[in-house]
């Protein structure tokens, strides 16, 4: 009677649930400001340990290098579990003055841990390709020591470097578990994940910068020749959580255009109760929020925040339709 035909009825309910700015604006502001400050320089880093393996100790990996990369902190306090994105001037209380406020540097520095494996197949004549690696659920960057990653490294001459997904890394387990007893604390999880994206980007820049790892003896042979190929570009490979978060990371990446997302997914709120890994957290949640209907509402509300730090909020920009100042990507 109103003149709306059934095939067009959906138009009456067409509305925007989240804008590109609302989903990605904070992270893009963090990325752009941090790299504008860095300029053409290599990020500052510290090598803390170099371990050379004999073929008997490890037939696939010749050397492991660990250390930290200095990354501008966009978090309050010391940046540890429970910290939030910082807003306003350095030293402020971190409270956003308006709904459109963007995170600002706190004036402090985050020491992002890294672990790099140089394959036995890499030589000065045939240096290793470079790839970041994203670890799994609440894990550690030492996941690059898994057998499948070592085999990929040696067979195809890849030097993998990994850092922690702070917010959802091993060190965050106590805090994350606690949030399911009091979900008002949950925003810190996704805020720290956004800082972890910047940590990954700075590690990647250190890997490919001529004055970064390639200029360090830890990444050279005995004659001082680099074992890593900075001219061949950078790549990304991640599994499980590294596939979920890696989708968002890829969508904002400026230093690489090819990623592999292994056993990935997106939309954590849909995944949680379908995963056996969530069982211990479910037990905590059931005590504070026993009503299953309340739990579903809570998951939907949490996802509105989680979208800013996982693939769900970035998927449409991951390959085509790239975000501003970002190249197109190819994703397997």
């Amino acid at each position: 009677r109103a003149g709306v035909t059934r095939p067009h009825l959906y138009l009456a309910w067409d509305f925007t649930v989240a804008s590109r700015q609302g989903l990605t604006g904070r992270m893009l502001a963090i990325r752009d400001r941090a790299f504008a400050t860095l300029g053409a320089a290599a990020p500052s880093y510290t090598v803390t340990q170099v371990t050379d393996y004999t073929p008997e100790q490890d037939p696939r990996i010749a050397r492991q290098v660990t250390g930290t990369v200095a990354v501008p902190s966009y978090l309050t306090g010391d940046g540890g579990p429970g910290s939030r994105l910082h807003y306003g001037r350095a030293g402020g209380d971190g409270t956003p003055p308006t709904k459109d406020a963007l995170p600002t540097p706190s004036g402090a520095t985050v020491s992002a841990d890294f672990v790099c494996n140089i394959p036995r197949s890499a030589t000065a004549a045939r240096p290793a390709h470079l790839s970041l690696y994203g670890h799994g659920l609440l894990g550690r960057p030492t996941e690059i020591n898994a057998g499948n990653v070592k085999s990929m490294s040696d067979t195809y001459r890849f030097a993998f470097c990994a850092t922690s997904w702070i917010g959802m890394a091993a060190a965050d387990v106590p805090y994350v578990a606690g949030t399911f007893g009091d979900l008002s604390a949950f925003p810190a999880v996704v805020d720290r994940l956004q800082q972890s994206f910047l940590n990954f980007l700075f590690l990647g820049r250190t890997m490919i910068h001529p004055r970064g790892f390639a200029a360090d003896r830890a990444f050279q042979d005995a004659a001082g020749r680099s074992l890593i190929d900075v001219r061949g570009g950078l790549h990304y490979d991640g599994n499980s959580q590294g596939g979920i978060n890696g989708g968002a990371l890829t969508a904002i990446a400026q230093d690489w255009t090819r990623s592999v997302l292994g056993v990935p997914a997106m939309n954590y709120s849909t995944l949680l109760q379908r995963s056996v890994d969530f069982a211990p957290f479910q037990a905590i949640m059931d005590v504070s929020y026993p009503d299953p209907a309340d739990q579903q509402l809570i998951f939907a509300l949490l996802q509105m925040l989680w979208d800013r730090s996982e693939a769900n909020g970035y998927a449409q920009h991951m390959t085509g339709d790239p975000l501003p100042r970002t190249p197109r990507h190819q994703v397997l």
Side-chain angles (χ1 to χ4, degrees):
R1 288 195 300 270
V4 179
T5 60
R6 188 176 296 273
H8 294 95
L9 185 59
Y10 76 94
L11 290 175
W13 299 97
D14 186 21
F15 62 96
T16 298
V17 293
S19 68
R20 186 185 74 181
Q21 175 65 18
L23 293 171
T24 68
R26 291 164 177 79
M27 192 60 238
L28 290 180
I30 290 171
R31 179 199 68 181
D32 291 348
R33 184 165 183 169
F35 277 93
T37 301
L38 180 66
S44 176
Y45 68 93
T46 302
V47 172
T48 56
Q49 185 171 346
V50 178
T51 305
D52 288 311
Y53 299 108
T54 66
E56 292 73 27
Q57 291 173 316
D58 196 318
R60 294 169 291 188
I61 301 301
R63 181 181 299 167
Q64 183 171 94
V65 183
T66 62
T68 59
V69 174
V71 184
S73 175
Y74 282 77
L75 297 171
T76 56
D78 64 0
S83 59
R84 298 293 308 276
L85 283 174
H86 177 271
Y87 295 86
R89 56 187 176 80
D93 62 4
T95 303
T98 70
K99 68 181 180 65
D100 298 318
L102 295 173
T104 56
S106 68
T109 300
V110 169
S111 294
D113 58 346
F114 73 80
V115 181
C116 298
N117 279 347
I118 301 175
R120 199 163 294 283
S121 56
T123 64
R126 301 183 70 207
H129 310 295
L130 291 170
S131 180
L132 288 163
Y133 182 83
H135 66 71
L137 181 66
L138 298 169
R140 295 178 172 85
T142 49
E143 191 176 303
I144 62 171
N145 293 327
N148 62 312
V149 184
K150 283 185 176 182
S151 293
M152 173 73 174
S153 183
D154 191 46
T155 302
Y156 297 102
R157 224 169 63 253
F158 268 92
F160 285 105
C161 292
T163 186
S164 296
W165 294 114
I166 65 168
M168 291 187 70
D172 294 285
V173 170
Y175 185 86
V176 173
T179 65
F180 285 98
D182 178 7
L183 283 158
S184 62
F186 183 81
V189 174
V190 293
D191 280 6
R192 282 195 5 112
L193 276 173
Q194 289 174 81
Q195 175 71 46
S196 80
F197 291 167
L198 184 62
N199 295 356
F200 268 88
L201 296 178
F202 262 58
L203 173 58
R205 179 63 61 88
T206 311
M207 292 167 67
I208 62 170
H209 199 289
R211 296 188 296 278
F213 288 163
D216 195 291
R217 290 303 300 266
F219 294 86
Q220 298 173 354
D221 64 11
R225 298 171 298 183
S226 178
L227 294 170
I228 57 175
D229 180 13
V230 298
R231 294 175 298 179
L234 183 64
H235 309 81
Y236 174 84
D237 182 20
N239 287 303
S240 190
Q241 180 179 282
I244 300 170
N245 297 344
L249 178 64
T250 293
I252 64 170
Q254 296 171 308
D255 284 342
W256 72 88
T257 59
R258 294 185 177 185
S259 293
V260 175
L261 308 180
V263 289
M266 63 183 183
N267 195 333
Y268 267 114
S269 62
T270 300
L271 300 173
L272 293 180
Q273 291 184 311
R274 290 161 172 79
S275 170
V276 295
D277 291 328
F278 187 64
F281 302 96
Q282 181 72 62
I284 298 171
M285 190 176 190
D286 287 342
V287 174
S288 297
Y289 308 95
D291 188 335
D294 286 345
Q295 292 183 9
Q296 293 309 305
L297 177 60
I298 288 167
F299 289 143
L301 291 170
L302 295 184
Q303 189 60 49
M304 294 173 70
L305 300 176
W306 231 333
D307 279 342
R308 295 173 183 156
S309 58
E310 62 121 313
N312 198 55
Y314 296 78
Q316 63 184 7
H317 305 296
M318 198 186 304
T319 52
D321 189 21
L323 290 165
R325 301 167 297 283
T326 311
R328 291 174 177 265
H329 298 87
Q330 291 178 292
V331 179
L332 174 63

